[in-house]
Amino acid sequence: MTVTKLEIATEVAYTTGFTVRDAKHLVEAFFDTIRSTLASGEEVKLSGFGNFSIREKTSRPGRNPKTGEPKEITARRVVTWRAGQALRGRC
């Protein structure tokens, strides 16, 4: 099962008494803050949930799985997430 931002906003609206529209803006602002913090190179730590961080991946040799042709995979930054201890304990 997948949880969408709209479902999160609906739950926030239900539990806080906000309108769904206001809750949707709140959820969007929350995710925008996470995005901008990660883009600036900082980590995001959500107590009881987990940590988001940026990992630098170096370029490496790869291949096209369809043709088998060798190809260079370029260096890039990726977001990693590690579940917090409280979340791991509940799962």
Side-chain angles (χ1 to χ4, degrees):
M1 183 174 136
T2 302
V3 177
T4 65
K5 285 194 280 186
L6 180 59
E7 290 171 336
I8 294 171
T10 304
E11 184 64 25
V12 168
Y14 176 75
T15 57
T16 62
F18 291 166
T19 64
V20 174
R21 184 177 179 186
D22 289 341
K24 191 174 179 183
H25 289 298
L26 181 71
V27 170
E28 283 294 334
F30 174 74
F31 284 111
D32 286 342
T33 302
I34 291 175
R35 270 187 223 106
S36 63
T37 302
L38 289 170
S40 70
E42 297 178 56
E43 288 188 358
V44 175
K45 297 182 179 193
L46 301 174
S47 180
F49 182 69
N51 301 331
F52 294 91
S53 60
I54 296 289
R55 180 174 166 228
E56 301 284 336
K57 293 185 111 179
T58 59
S59 62
R60 62 188 195 279
R63 66 177 182 84
N64 181 331
K66 188 173 183 180
T67 64
E69 175 186 339
K71 187 169 184 171
E72 176 96 10
I73 299 172
T74 58
R76 62 193 185 280
R77 296 170 65 192
V78 295
V79 175
T80 60
W81 176 71
R82 182 173 165 104
Q85 209 168 11
L87 181 61
R88 278 185 266 151
R90 294 190 71 175
C91 293

